[in-house]
Amino acid sequence: YIEARYHARHREQLPMLASMAERVEDLHFGDDSVPDGLAILLRNMIGGMEVHLKKEELILFPAIRRGGMHRS
């Protein structure tokens, strides 16, 4: 459920959000009322989130499905 509902949605929506921020920054370059660097911040955040999501998908969720994180 988490992978289908949240991970997929983040992967779909966050890159579009970063692209939109980049377009706004390009269009309003030099305007002090527009936050500069938001697109870069979002892209860095997306990269960090992708690492986190992959860890959950490859380690945490399979362990939960197996019944826990205990070792044999």
Side-chain angles (χ1 to χ4, degrees):
Y1 175 79
I2 292 171
E3 291 173 79
R5 171 96 172 143
Y6 296 103
H7 289 201
R9 184 168 290 163
H10 291 329
R11 286 184 175 121
E12 176 188 336
Q13 293 178 348
L14 289 175
M16 289 188 304
L17 183 62
S19 293
M20 290 186 333
E22 192 171 285
R23 281 189 297 234
V24 169
E25 289 176 357
D26 288 346
L27 184 62
H28 297 283
F29 182 77
D31 186 340
D32 291 337
S33 65
V34 176
D36 187 32
L38 180 60
I40 291 171
L41 179 67
L42 286 169
R43 293 198 189 283
N44 289 338
M45 183 191 76
I46 292 166
M49 281 188 66
E50 186 59 37
V51 170
H52 174 80
L53 299 178
K54 277 295 182 193
K55 283 182 182 178
E56 285 185 344
E57 293 165 359
L58 296 173
I59 299 167
L60 178 63
F61 296 158
I64 291 170
R65 288 183 188 108
R66 287 190 308 268
M69 302 267 303
H70 52 60
R71 294 179 182 205
S72 304

Short mmCIF file of all heavy atoms in Angstrom, two decimals:
data_model
loop_
_atom_site.label_atom_id
_atom_site.label_comp_id
_atom_site.label_asym_id
_atom_site.label_seq_id
_atom_site.Cartn_x
_atom_site.Cartn_y
_atom_site.Cartn_z
N TYR A 1 0.82 -1.19 0.00
CA TYR A 1 0.00 0.00 0.00
C TYR A 1 0.88 1.26 0.00
O TYR A 1 0.62 2.19 -0.77
CB TYR A 1 -0.95 -0.02 1.20
CG TYR A 1 -1.76 1.25 1.33
CD1 TYR A 1 -2.88 1.44 0.53
CD2 TYR A 1 -1.41 2.23 2.23
CE1 TYR A 1 -3.63 2.61 0.63
CE2 TYR A 1 -2.14 3.39 2.34
CZ TYR A 1 -3.25 3.58 1.55
OH TYR A 1 -3.99 4.72 1.64
N ILE A 2 1.87 1.29 0.85
CA ILE A 2 2.74 2.48 0.94
C ILE A 2 3.48 2.70 -0.37
O ILE A 2 3.57 3.82 -0.87
CB ILE A 2 3.72 2.35 2.12
CG1 ILE A 2 2.96 2.42 3.44
CG2 ILE A 2 4.79 3.44 2.06
CD1 ILE A 2 3.79 2.10 4.66
N GLU A 3 3.99 1.62 -0.95
CA GLU A 3 4.71 1.76 -2.21
C GLU A 3 3.79 2.27 -3.33
O GLU A 3 4.17 3.17 -4.08
CB GLU A 3 5.33 0.42 -2.61
CG GLU A 3 6.46 -0.01 -1.70
CD GLU A 3 6.94 -1.40 -2.01
OE1 GLU A 3 7.70 -1.54 -2.99
OE2 GLU A 3 6.55 -2.34 -1.29
N ALA A 4 2.62 1.68 -3.42
CA ALA A 4 1.69 2.06 -4.49
C ALA A 4 1.11 3.45 -4.26
O ALA A 4 0.98 4.24 -5.19
CB ALA A 4 0.58 1.03 -4.60
N ARG A 5 0.77 3.75 -3.04
CA ARG A 5 0.07 5.00 -2.74
C ARG A 5 1.03 6.19 -2.63
O ARG A 5 0.78 7.25 -3.18
CB ARG A 5 -0.71 4.85 -1.43
CG ARG A 5 -1.30 6.11 -0.89
CD ARG A 5 -2.73 6.27 -1.29
NE ARG A 5 -3.27 7.40 -0.56
CZ ARG A 5 -4.13 8.22 -1.09
NH1 ARG A 5 -4.58 8.00 -2.29
NH2 ARG A 5 -4.58 9.23 -0.39
N TYR A 6 2.12 6.03 -1.90
CA TYR A 6 2.99 7.17 -1.59
C TYR A 6 4.26 7.20 -2.44
O TYR A 6 4.60 8.24 -3.00
CB TYR A 6 3.33 7.19 -0.10
CG TYR A 6 2.10 7.42 0.73
CD1 TYR A 6 1.51 6.36 1.42
CD2 TYR A 6 1.51 8.66 0.81
CE1 TYR A 6 0.36 6.56 2.17
CE2 TYR A 6 0.36 8.87 1.56
CZ TYR A 6 -0.21 7.82 2.24
OH TYR A 6 -1.34 8.02 2.96
N HIS A 7 4.97 6.10 -2.51
CA HIS A 7 6.23 6.11 -3.26
C HIS A 7 5.97 6.46 -4.73
O HIS A 7 6.67 7.31 -5.29
CB HIS A 7 6.93 4.76 -3.16
CG HIS A 7 7.51 4.50 -1.80
ND1 HIS A 7 8.53 3.59 -1.60
CD2 HIS A 7 7.24 5.01 -0.57
CE1 HIS A 7 8.84 3.55 -0.32
NE2 HIS A 7 8.06 4.41 0.32
N ALA A 8 5.00 5.82 -5.33
CA ALA A 8 4.70 6.09 -6.75
C ALA A 8 4.26 7.54 -6.94
O ALA A 8 4.68 8.19 -7.91
CB ALA A 8 3.62 5.14 -7.24
N ARG A 9 3.46 8.05 -6.03
CA ARG A 9 2.99 9.43 -6.14
C ARG A 9 4.16 10.41 -6.02
O ARG A 9 4.25 11.39 -6.77
CB ARG A 9 1.94 9.72 -5.08
CG ARG A 9 1.36 11.12 -5.23
CD ARG A 9 0.15 11.32 -4.41
NE ARG A 9 -0.94 10.52 -4.99
CZ ARG A 9 -2.04 10.21 -4.34
NH1 ARG A 9 -2.22 10.61 -3.11
NH2 ARG A 9 -2.98 9.50 -4.92
N HIS A 10 5.07 10.17 -5.07
CA HIS A 10 6.25 11.04 -4.93
C HIS A 10 7.08 11.02 -6.20
O HIS A 10 7.53 12.06 -6.67
CB HIS A 10 7.11 10.61 -3.74
CG HIS A 10 6.48 10.85 -2.41
ND1 HIS A 10 5.61 11.87 -2.15
CD2 HIS A 10 6.63 10.19 -1.24
CE1 HIS A 10 5.24 11.84 -0.89
NE2 HIS A 10 5.83 10.82 -0.31
N ARG A 11 7.30 9.82 -6.73
CA ARG A 11 8.11 9.70 -7.94
C ARG A 11 7.45 10.37 -9.14
O ARG A 11 8.15 10.83 -10.05
CB ARG A 11 8.39 8.23 -8.24
CG ARG A 11 9.40 7.64 -7.29
CD ARG A 11 9.72 6.20 -7.65
NE ARG A 11 10.78 5.71 -6.80
CZ ARG A 11 10.65 4.65 -6.00
NH1 ARG A 11 9.52 3.96 -5.96
NH2 ARG A 11 11.67 4.26 -5.26
N GLU A 12 6.16 10.43 -9.16
CA GLU A 12 5.44 11.06 -10.26
C GLU A 12 5.39 12.58 -10.10
O GLU A 12 5.64 13.32 -11.05
CB GLU A 12 4.01 10.51 -10.30
CG GLU A 12 3.14 11.16 -11.35
CD GLU A 12 1.68 10.72 -11.23
OE1 GLU A 12 1.42 9.64 -10.69
OE2 GLU A 12 0.82 11.49 -11.68
N GLN A 13 5.09 13.05 -8.90
CA GLN A 13 4.80 14.47 -8.71
C GLN A 13 6.02 15.33 -8.41
O GLN A 13 6.07 16.49 -8.84
CB GLN A 13 3.76 14.63 -7.61
CG GLN A 13 2.41 14.09 -7.98
CD GLN A 13 1.40 14.22 -6.86
OE1 GLN A 13 1.75 14.51 -5.72
NE2 GLN A 13 0.14 13.99 -7.18
N LEU A 14 6.97 14.82 -7.66
CA LEU A 14 8.08 15.68 -7.24
C LEU A 14 8.95 16.16 -8.40
O LEU A 14 9.32 17.35 -8.42
CB LEU A 14 8.92 14.98 -6.17
CG LEU A 14 8.23 14.87 -4.82
CD1 LEU A 14 9.09 14.06 -3.84
CD2 LEU A 14 7.90 16.23 -4.23
N PRO A 15 9.29 15.32 -9.39
CA PRO A 15 10.06 15.86 -10.51
C PRO A 15 9.31 16.97 -11.27
O PRO A 15 9.92 17.95 -11.71
CB PRO A 15 10.30 14.64 -11.40
CG PRO A 15 10.28 13.49 -10.45
CD PRO A 15 9.21 13.85 -9.45
N MET A 16 8.00 16.82 -11.40
CA MET A 16 7.21 17.87 -12.05
C MET A 16 7.26 19.16 -11.24
O MET A 16 7.35 20.26 -11.81
CB MET A 16 5.76 17.42 -12.23
CG MET A 16 5.58 16.35 -13.28
SD MET A 16 3.85 15.96 -13.68
CE MET A 16 3.16 15.54 -12.08
N LEU A 17 7.21 19.05 -9.93
CA LEU A 17 7.29 20.22 -9.06
C LEU A 17 8.63 20.93 -9.22
O LEU A 17 8.69 22.15 -9.33
CB LEU A 17 7.06 19.80 -7.60
CG LEU A 17 7.04 20.89 -6.56
CD1 LEU A 17 5.89 21.86 -6.83
CD2 LEU A 17 6.91 20.28 -5.18
N ALA A 18 9.71 20.16 -9.27
CA ALA A 18 11.04 20.75 -9.47
C ALA A 18 11.12 21.44 -10.83
O ALA A 18 11.69 22.52 -10.95
CB ALA A 18 12.12 19.68 -9.33
N SER A 19 10.55 20.82 -11.86
CA SER A 19 10.54 21.43 -13.20
C SER A 19 9.75 22.73 -13.20
O SER A 19 10.16 23.72 -13.83
CB SER A 19 9.96 20.47 -14.22
OG SER A 19 10.81 19.37 -14.39
N MET A 20 8.63 22.75 -12.52
CA MET A 20 7.82 23.97 -12.44
C MET A 20 8.59 25.07 -11.70
O MET A 20 8.58 26.23 -12.12
CB MET A 20 6.49 23.70 -11.75
CG MET A 20 5.57 22.86 -12.61
SD MET A 20 3.86 22.57 -12.01
CE MET A 20 3.93 22.66 -10.27
N ALA A 21 9.27 24.71 -10.63
CA ALA A 21 10.07 25.70 -9.89
C ALA A 21 11.17 26.26 -10.78
O ALA A 21 11.45 27.46 -10.75
CB ALA A 21 10.66 25.05 -8.63
N GLU A 22 11.78 25.38 -11.56
CA GLU A 22 12.83 25.83 -12.48
C GLU A 22 12.29 26.81 -13.52
O GLU A 22 12.93 27.82 -13.82
CB GLU A 22 13.43 24.60 -13.18
CG GLU A 22 14.71 24.87 -13.91
CD GLU A 22 15.32 23.58 -14.39
OE1 GLU A 22 15.89 22.85 -13.55
OE2 GLU A 22 15.21 23.30 -15.60
N ARG A 23 11.12 26.53 -14.06
CA ARG A 23 10.50 27.44 -15.04
C ARG A 23 10.20 28.80 -14.42
O ARG A 23 10.44 29.85 -15.04
CB ARG A 23 9.24 26.83 -15.61
CG ARG A 23 9.51 25.79 -16.68
CD ARG A 23 8.24 25.38 -17.36
NE ARG A 23 7.35 24.75 -16.38
CZ ARG A 23 6.80 23.56 -16.51
NH1 ARG A 23 6.98 22.87 -17.59
NH2 ARG A 23 6.05 23.07 -15.56
N VAL A 24 9.68 28.80 -13.19
CA VAL A 24 9.38 30.07 -12.51
C VAL A 24 10.67 30.85 -12.27
O VAL A 24 10.73 32.06 -12.51
CB VAL A 24 8.63 29.81 -11.18
CG1 VAL A 24 8.56 31.08 -10.34
CG2 VAL A 24 7.24 29.27 -11.45
N GLU A 25 11.72 30.14 -11.82
CA GLU A 25 13.00 30.82 -11.58
C GLU A 25 13.56 31.40 -12.87
O GLU A 25 14.11 32.51 -12.87
CB GLU A 25 13.99 29.86 -10.94
CG GLU A 25 13.67 29.52 -9.51
CD GLU A 25 14.60 28.48 -8.91
OE1 GLU A 25 15.49 27.97 -9.62
OE2 GLU A 25 14.44 28.19 -7.71
N ASP A 26 13.47 30.66 -13.97
CA ASP A 26 13.97 31.15 -15.26
C ASP A 26 13.17 32.36 -15.74
O ASP A 26 13.75 33.35 -16.19
CB ASP A 26 13.90 30.05 -16.33
CG ASP A 26 14.93 28.96 -16.12
OD1 ASP A 26 15.87 29.14 -15.32
OD2 ASP A 26 14.78 27.89 -16.75
N LEU A 27 11.86 32.28 -15.64
CA LEU A 27 10.99 33.35 -16.11
C LEU A 27 11.17 34.63 -15.29
O LEU A 27 11.13 35.73 -15.83
CB LEU A 27 9.53 32.89 -16.05
CG LEU A 27 8.48 33.85 -16.60
CD1 LEU A 27 8.72 34.11 -18.09
CD2 LEU A 27 7.09 33.30 -16.37
N HIS A 28 11.38 34.48 -13.99
CA HIS A 28 11.47 35.63 -13.09
C HIS A 28 12.89 35.87 -12.58
O HIS A 28 13.09 36.41 -11.49
CB HIS A 28 10.52 35.45 -11.90
CG HIS A 28 9.08 35.37 -12.31
ND1 HIS A 28 8.36 36.48 -12.64
CD2 HIS A 28 8.25 34.31 -12.46
CE1 HIS A 28 7.12 36.13 -12.97
NE2 HIS A 28 7.04 34.81 -12.88
N PHE A 29 13.88 35.46 -13.37
CA PHE A 29 15.28 35.62 -12.96
C PHE A 29 15.58 37.07 -12.58
O PHE A 29 15.22 37.99 -13.30
CB PHE A 29 16.21 35.18 -14.11
CG PHE A 29 17.66 35.28 -13.76
CD1 PHE A 29 18.24 34.31 -12.96
CD2 PHE A 29 18.42 36.33 -14.21
CE1 PHE A 29 19.58 34.40 -12.62
CE2 PHE A 29 19.76 36.43 -13.89
CZ PHE A 29 20.35 35.45 -13.09
N GLY A 30 16.20 37.23 -11.44
CA GLY A 30 16.56 38.57 -10.97
C GLY A 30 15.49 39.25 -10.15
O GLY A 30 15.74 40.30 -9.56
N ASP A 31 14.32 38.67 -10.08
CA ASP A 31 13.22 39.23 -9.28
C ASP A 31 13.42 38.81 -7.82
O ASP A 31 13.39 37.63 -7.50
CB ASP A 31 11.88 38.72 -9.81
CG ASP A 31 10.68 39.36 -9.12
OD1 ASP A 31 10.83 39.91 -8.01
OD2 ASP A 31 9.58 39.30 -9.71
N ASP A 32 13.65 39.77 -6.95
CA ASP A 32 13.93 39.47 -5.54
C ASP A 32 12.76 38.83 -4.80
O ASP A 32 12.94 38.24 -3.74
CB ASP A 32 14.36 40.74 -4.80
CG ASP A 32 15.72 41.24 -5.26
OD1 ASP A 32 16.51 40.43 -5.80
OD2 ASP A 32 15.99 42.45 -5.10
N SER A 33 11.56 38.93 -5.35
CA SER A 33 10.40 38.36 -4.66
C SER A 33 10.20 36.87 -5.01
O SER A 33 9.31 36.24 -4.45
CB SER A 33 9.13 39.15 -5.01
OG SER A 33 8.83 39.01 -6.39
N VAL A 34 11.02 36.35 -5.90
CA VAL A 34 10.93 34.94 -6.29
C VAL A 34 12.09 34.19 -5.65
O VAL A 34 13.24 34.61 -5.79
CB VAL A 34 10.97 34.79 -7.83
CG1 VAL A 34 10.98 33.32 -8.23
CG2 VAL A 34 9.80 35.51 -8.46
N PRO A 35 11.80 33.10 -4.93
CA PRO A 35 12.89 32.37 -4.26
C PRO A 35 13.86 31.77 -5.28
O PRO A 35 13.45 31.07 -6.21
CB PRO A 35 12.17 31.27 -3.47
CG PRO A 35 10.82 31.15 -4.09
CD PRO A 35 10.51 32.47 -4.71
N ASP A 36 15.13 32.09 -5.12
CA ASP A 36 16.17 31.58 -6.01
C ASP A 36 16.74 30.29 -5.43
O ASP A 36 16.99 30.20 -4.24
CB ASP A 36 17.28 32.63 -6.15
CG ASP A 36 18.30 32.25 -7.17
OD1 ASP A 36 17.94 31.58 -8.16
OD2 ASP A 36 19.48 32.62 -7.00
N GLY A 37 16.89 29.29 -6.26
CA GLY A 37 17.48 28.03 -5.82
C GLY A 37 16.48 26.98 -5.38
O GLY A 37 16.88 25.90 -4.94
N LEU A 38 15.20 27.27 -5.49
CA LEU A 38 14.19 26.30 -5.06
C LEU A 38 14.26 25.02 -5.89
O LEU A 38 14.16 23.92 -5.36
CB LEU A 38 12.79 26.92 -5.14
CG LEU A 38 11.64 26.01 -4.73
CD1 LEU A 38 11.80 25.55 -3.28
CD2 LEU A 38 10.30 26.71 -4.92
N ALA A 39 14.46 25.15 -7.20
CA ALA A 39 14.53 23.96 -8.06
C ALA A 39 15.70 23.07 -7.67
O ALA A 39 15.55 21.84 -7.60
CB ALA A 39 14.63 24.38 -9.53
N ILE A 40 16.84 23.66 -7.40
CA ILE A 40 18.01 22.88 -6.99
C ILE A 40 17.73 22.20 -5.65
O ILE A 40 18.05 21.01 -5.47
CB ILE A 40 19.26 23.78 -6.91
CG1 ILE A 40 19.67 24.21 -8.31
CG2 ILE A 40 20.41 23.05 -6.22
CD1 ILE A 40 20.75 25.26 -8.34
N LEU A 41 17.15 22.92 -4.73
CA LEU A 41 16.81 22.35 -3.43
C LEU A 41 15.85 21.17 -3.60
O LEU A 41 16.04 20.10 -3.00
CB LEU A 41 16.18 23.41 -2.53
CG LEU A 41 15.73 22.96 -1.15
CD1 LEU A 41 16.94 22.59 -0.30
CD2 LEU A 41 14.92 24.04 -0.47
N LEU A 42 14.84 21.33 -4.43
CA LEU A 42 13.89 20.24 -4.67
C LEU A 42 14.56 19.04 -5.32
O LEU A 42 14.31 17.90 -4.95
CB LEU A 42 12.74 20.74 -5.54
CG LEU A 42 11.72 21.64 -4.84
CD1 LEU A 42 10.79 22.27 -5.87
CD2 LEU A 42 10.93 20.87 -3.80
N ARG A 43 15.43 19.27 -6.29
CA ARG A 43 16.11 18.16 -6.95
C ARG A 43 17.02 17.41 -5.97
O ARG A 43 17.10 16.18 -6.01
CB ARG A 43 16.88 18.64 -8.17
CG ARG A 43 15.95 19.13 -9.27
CD ARG A 43 16.59 19.22 -10.62
NE ARG A 43 15.74 19.89 -11.58
CZ ARG A 43 14.69 19.37 -12.18
NH1 ARG A 43 14.33 18.15 -11.92
NH2 ARG A 43 13.98 20.07 -13.06
N ASN A 44 17.70 18.14 -5.10
CA ASN A 44 18.52 17.49 -4.06
C ASN A 44 17.65 16.69 -3.10
O ASN A 44 18.01 15.58 -2.70
CB ASN A 44 19.35 18.53 -3.30
CG ASN A 44 20.47 19.10 -4.14
OD1 ASN A 44 20.91 18.50 -5.11
ND2 ASN A 44 20.92 20.28 -3.77
N MET A 45 16.52 17.26 -2.73
CA MET A 45 15.59 16.56 -1.84
C MET A 45 15.06 15.29 -2.50
O MET A 45 14.97 14.23 -1.87
CB MET A 45 14.42 17.47 -1.46
CG MET A 45 13.45 16.84 -0.49
SD MET A 45 11.93 17.79 -0.31
CE MET A 45 11.09 17.36 -1.82
N ILE A 46 14.73 15.38 -3.78
CA ILE A 46 14.24 14.22 -4.52
C ILE A 46 15.29 13.11 -4.54
O ILE A 46 14.97 11.93 -4.34
CB ILE A 46 13.82 14.62 -5.95
CG1 ILE A 46 12.58 15.51 -5.90
CG2 ILE A 46 13.58 13.39 -6.82
CD1 ILE A 46 12.29 16.22 -7.21
N GLY A 47 16.55 13.48 -4.75
CA GLY A 47 17.63 12.49 -4.74
C GLY A 47 17.74 11.79 -3.39
O GLY A 47 17.86 10.56 -3.32
N GLY A 48 17.67 12.56 -2.32
CA GLY A 48 17.73 11.98 -0.98
C GLY A 48 16.52 11.11 -0.69
O GLY A 48 16.64 10.03 -0.09
N MET A 49 15.36 11.55 -1.13
CA MET A 49 14.15 10.76 -0.92
C MET A 49 14.21 9.45 -1.70
O MET A 49 13.76 8.42 -1.22
CB MET A 49 12.91 11.55 -1.32
CG MET A 49 12.49 12.55 -0.28
SD MET A 49 10.89 13.29 -0.68
CE MET A 49 9.81 11.88 -0.54
N GLU A 50 14.77 9.49 -2.90
CA GLU A 50 14.86 8.27 -3.71
C GLU A 50 15.72 7.22 -3.01
O GLU A 50 15.38 6.04 -3.00
CB GLU A 50 15.40 8.58 -5.11
CG GLU A 50 15.39 7.40 -6.04
CD GLU A 50 14.01 6.80 -6.26
OE1 GLU A 50 13.02 7.54 -6.33
OE2 GLU A 50 13.92 5.55 -6.37
N VAL A 51 16.81 7.66 -2.41
CA VAL A 51 17.65 6.73 -1.64
C VAL A 51 16.84 6.13 -0.50
O VAL A 51 16.87 4.91 -0.26
CB VAL A 51 18.92 7.45 -1.10
CG1 VAL A 51 19.67 6.58 -0.12
CG2 VAL A 51 19.82 7.85 -2.26
N HIS A 52 16.12 6.97 0.21
CA HIS A 52 15.30 6.51 1.33
C HIS A 52 14.22 5.52 0.87
O HIS A 52 14.02 4.47 1.48
CB HIS A 52 14.65 7.72 2.02
CG HIS A 52 13.68 7.36 3.09
ND1 HIS A 52 14.09 6.99 4.35
CD2 HIS A 52 12.33 7.28 3.07
CE1 HIS A 52 13.01 6.70 5.07
NE2 HIS A 52 11.94 6.88 4.33
N LEU A 53 13.51 5.87 -0.21
CA LEU A 53 12.45 5.01 -0.72
C LEU A 53 13.01 3.66 -1.16
O LEU A 53 12.41 2.61 -0.87
CB LEU A 53 11.73 5.67 -1.90
CG LEU A 53 11.02 7.01 -1.63
CD1 LEU A 53 10.41 7.55 -2.91
CD2 LEU A 53 9.99 6.88 -0.54
N LYS A 54 14.15 3.67 -1.84
CA LYS A 54 14.76 2.41 -2.28
C LYS A 54 15.15 1.53 -1.09
O LYS A 54 14.98 0.31 -1.13
CB LYS A 54 16.00 2.68 -3.13
CG LYS A 54 15.69 2.95 -4.56
CD LYS A 54 15.08 1.73 -5.20
CE LYS A 54 14.80 1.94 -6.64
NZ LYS A 54 13.95 0.89 -7.19
N LYS A 55 15.69 2.13 -0.03
CA LYS A 55 16.03 1.35 1.17
C LYS A 55 14.79 0.69 1.76
O LYS A 55 14.83 -0.47 2.15
CB LYS A 55 16.70 2.24 2.22
CG LYS A 55 18.13 2.56 1.94
CD LYS A 55 18.71 3.41 3.07
CE LYS A 55 20.12 3.80 2.79
NZ LYS A 55 20.67 4.66 3.85
N GLU A 56 13.71 1.46 1.80
CA GLU A 56 12.47 0.87 2.32
C GLU A 56 12.02 -0.30 1.45
O GLU A 56 11.64 -1.35 1.95
CB GLU A 56 11.37 1.93 2.37
CG GLU A 56 11.51 2.91 3.49
CD GLU A 56 10.34 3.86 3.59
OE1 GLU A 56 9.54 3.99 2.64
OE2 GLU A 56 10.23 4.50 4.65
N GLU A 57 12.07 -0.10 0.14
CA GLU A 57 11.58 -1.12 -0.78
C GLU A 57 12.46 -2.36 -0.82
O GLU A 57 11.96 -3.48 -1.01
CB GLU A 57 11.45 -0.52 -2.18
CG GLU A 57 10.38 0.53 -2.28
CD GLU A 57 10.45 1.38 -3.53
OE1 GLU A 57 11.36 1.18 -4.36
OE2 GLU A 57 9.59 2.27 -3.67
N LEU A 58 13.76 -2.17 -0.67
CA LEU A 58 14.69 -3.30 -0.79
C LEU A 58 15.01 -3.98 0.54
O LEU A 58 15.37 -5.16 0.54
CB LEU A 58 16.00 -2.84 -1.44
CG LEU A 58 15.87 -2.34 -2.88
CD1 LEU A 58 17.19 -1.75 -3.37
CD2 LEU A 58 15.40 -3.46 -3.80
N ILE A 59 14.89 -3.26 1.65
CA ILE A 59 15.29 -3.82 2.94
C ILE A 59 14.12 -3.89 3.92
O ILE A 59 13.76 -4.97 4.39
CB ILE A 59 16.44 -2.98 3.56
CG1 ILE A 59 17.66 -3.02 2.63
CG2 ILE A 59 16.80 -3.50 4.95
CD1 ILE A 59 18.72 -2.00 2.96
N LEU A 60 13.53 -2.74 4.23
CA LEU A 60 12.51 -2.68 5.28
C LEU A 60 11.24 -3.45 4.93
O LEU A 60 10.80 -4.31 5.69
CB LEU A 60 12.17 -1.22 5.61
CG LEU A 60 11.09 -1.02 6.67
CD1 LEU A 60 11.54 -1.59 8.01
CD2 LEU A 60 10.73 0.45 6.79
N PHE A 61 10.64 -3.14 3.79
CA PHE A 61 9.37 -3.78 3.44
C PHE A 61 9.49 -5.29 3.27
O PHE A 61 8.63 -6.03 3.75
CB PHE A 61 8.73 -3.12 2.22
CG PHE A 61 8.34 -1.67 2.44
CD1 PHE A 61 8.20 -0.82 1.37
CD2 PHE A 61 8.12 -1.16 3.71
CE1 PHE A 61 7.84 0.51 1.56
CE2 PHE A 61 7.76 0.15 3.91
CZ PHE A 61 7.62 1.00 2.83
N PRO A 62 10.55 -5.79 2.60
CA PRO A 62 10.69 -7.25 2.54
C PRO A 62 10.84 -7.88 3.92
O PRO A 62 10.30 -8.96 4.18
CB PRO A 62 11.95 -7.46 1.70
CG PRO A 62 12.04 -6.25 0.85
CD PRO A 62 11.53 -5.13 1.72
N ALA A 63 11.55 -7.21 4.82
CA ALA A 63 11.70 -7.73 6.18
C ALA A 63 10.36 -7.78 6.90
O ALA A 63 10.05 -8.75 7.60
CB ALA A 63 12.71 -6.89 6.97
N ILE A 64 9.57 -6.75 6.74
CA ILE A 64 8.24 -6.72 7.36
C ILE A 64 7.38 -7.85 6.80
O ILE A 64 6.69 -8.55 7.55
CB ILE A 64 7.56 -5.35 7.14
CG1 ILE A 64 8.29 -4.27 7.94
CG2 ILE A 64 6.08 -5.40 7.50
CD1 ILE A 64 7.85 -2.85 7.62
N ARG A 65 7.45 -8.05 5.48
CA ARG A 65 6.67 -9.13 4.87
C ARG A 65 7.11 -10.51 5.36
O ARG A 65 6.28 -11.41 5.43
CB ARG A 65 6.80 -9.06 3.34
CG ARG A 65 6.06 -7.90 2.73
CD ARG A 65 6.17 -7.90 1.20
NE ARG A 65 5.61 -6.67 0.67
CZ ARG A 65 6.33 -5.68 0.14
NH1 ARG A 65 7.63 -5.76 0.05
NH2 ARG A 65 5.73 -4.61 -0.30
N ARG A 66 8.39 -10.63 5.70
CA ARG A 66 8.89 -11.90 6.24
C ARG A 66 8.55 -12.09 7.70
O ARG A 66 8.82 -13.12 8.28
CB ARG A 66 10.42 -12.00 6.07
CG ARG A 66 10.88 -12.24 4.66
CD ARG A 66 12.36 -12.58 4.60
NE ARG A 66 13.19 -11.61 5.30
CZ ARG A 66 13.76 -10.53 4.76
NH1 ARG A 66 13.57 -10.26 3.48
NH2 ARG A 66 14.51 -9.73 5.47
N GLY A 67 8.02 -11.05 8.33
CA GLY A 67 7.62 -11.17 9.73
C GLY A 67 8.53 -10.47 10.69
O GLY A 67 8.48 -10.74 11.89
N GLY A 68 9.39 -9.61 10.24
CA GLY A 68 10.23 -8.85 11.16
C GLY A 68 11.65 -8.77 10.69
O GLY A 68 12.02 -9.30 9.64
N MET A 69 12.46 -8.12 11.50
CA MET A 69 13.85 -7.85 11.13
C MET A 69 14.82 -8.76 11.88
O MET A 69 16.02 -8.53 11.87
CB MET A 69 14.20 -6.37 11.42
CG MET A 69 13.34 -5.37 10.71
SD MET A 69 13.93 -4.78 9.14
CE MET A 69 15.52 -4.12 9.50
N HIS A 70 14.33 -9.78 12.57
CA HIS A 70 15.24 -10.64 13.33
C HIS A 70 16.11 -11.47 12.41
O HIS A 70 15.75 -11.81 11.29
CB HIS A 70 14.46 -11.55 14.29
CG HIS A 70 13.35 -12.32 13.65
ND1 HIS A 70 13.53 -13.22 12.63
CD2 HIS A 70 12.02 -12.28 13.86
CE1 HIS A 70 12.38 -13.73 12.27
NE2 HIS A 70 11.43 -13.16 13.00
N ARG A 71 17.31 -11.79 12.88
CA ARG A 71 18.26 -12.56 12.08
C ARG A 71 18.30 -14.00 12.58
O ARG A 71 18.12 -14.27 13.75
CB ARG A 71 19.66 -11.96 12.19
CG ARG A 71 19.72 -10.60 11.57
CD ARG A 71 21.10 -10.03 11.73
NE ARG A 71 21.10 -8.70 11.16
CZ ARG A 71 22.17 -8.12 10.70
NH1 ARG A 71 23.32 -8.72 10.74
NH2 ARG A 71 22.11 -6.91 10.19
N SER A 72 18.62 -14.87 11.66
CA SER A 72 18.72 -16.30 12.02
C SER A 72 20.14 -16.65 12.39
O SER A 72 21.09 -16.15 11.89
CB SER A 72 18.30 -17.17 10.85
OG SER A 72 17.00 -16.82 10.45
#
